[in-house]
Amino acid sequence: QKEVEQNSGPLSVPEGAIASLNCTYSDRGSQSFFWYRQYSGKSPELIMFIYSNGDKEDGRFTAQLNKASQYVSLLIRDSQPSDSATYLCAVKASGTYKYIFGTGTRLKVLA
Amino acid sequence: DTGVSQDPRHKITKRGQNVTFRCDPISEHNRLYWYRQTLGQGPEFLTYFQNEAQLEKSRLLSDRFSAERPKGSFSTLEIQRTEQGDSAMYLCASSHSRGHEQYFGPGTRLTVT
């Protein structure tokens, strides 16, 4: 059973702080990793993807991947109340076309 | 370029009825996925199309579920003899063959009474 694990939260951070979201996965052969933001009642929105070990930055977002330790993280700098949402980690499973999603971490940014 | 669209956005049906949902992917995307999401869970993979070919189907998908993508463009997902446990958000996503990034539509929320 290929799994993706996330802490469900809620993770509460003050406005302007850095929010750190973590995800671990079980499929050692996975090569593609994604972070989605989902507001309540809406569909997931792709915010970051990463395929290589290391860091990838896009604006206030940084994705970090460590394949040896099988974890991927998302940092949100200068957190804003509008960042309050559920963040889903997704992994493309090896040897299939499936994408496995975690249950998401709920982030609350306090004004 | 418009994103992925889904129709209807909401569907309320009585147990035992059949329902059909439609998904229109981003125009140049040849890969299309269907997912189901229930409250507090991440999206759960249902099936995958590459062009018109259905290449993978979840073992969780009972034989009451069927999906088609006849001309490699839009796709339909049909649920026959709906049950209350089918109540969920049904999400469609598409991606280009050049990358693995998936983009989701707004979803169809199904309520089975």
Side-chain angles (χ1 to χ4, degrees), chain B residues 42-61:
Chain B
E44 176 186 31
F45 171 84
L46 294 178
T47 192
Y48 163 69
F49 288 87
Q50 183 165 307
N51 299 312
E52 66 276 7
Q54 187 175 22
L55 297 185
E56 191 157 1
K57 186 175 173 180
S58 170
R59 282 175 289 177
L60 300 173
L61 211 60

Side-chain angles (χ1 to χ4, degrees), chain A residues 4-83:
Chain A
V4 175
E5 301 286 343
Q6 296 182 256
N7 188 318
S8 62
L11 171 66
S12 295
V13 300
E15 184 175 358
I18 295 175
S20 177
L21 305 163
N22 299 311
C23 169
T24 60
Y25 60 94
S26 63
D27 182 1
R28 190 168 285 280
S30 294
Q31 300 293 323
S32 307
F33 306 88
F34 308 87
W35 283 99
Y36 287 84
R37 177 174 62 198
Q38 188 172 29
Y39 293 112
S40 180
K42 302 295 185 183
S43 63
E45 174 192 6
L46 179 66
I47 54 172
M48 288 291 288
F49 57 92
I50 185 166
Y51 302 148
S52 303
N53 274 330
D55 294 1
K56 179 182 179 183
E57 186 175 320
D58 184 2
R60 296 187 297 113
F61 299 102
T62 298
Q64 299 175 316
L65 175 60
N66 184 322
K67 289 182 182 178
S69 300
Q70 294 177 244
Y71 84 79
V72 56
S73 62
L74 178 70
L75 301 178
I76 306 174
R77 288 181 298 282
D78 188 25
S79 295
Q80 301 297 308
S82 59
D83 294 326

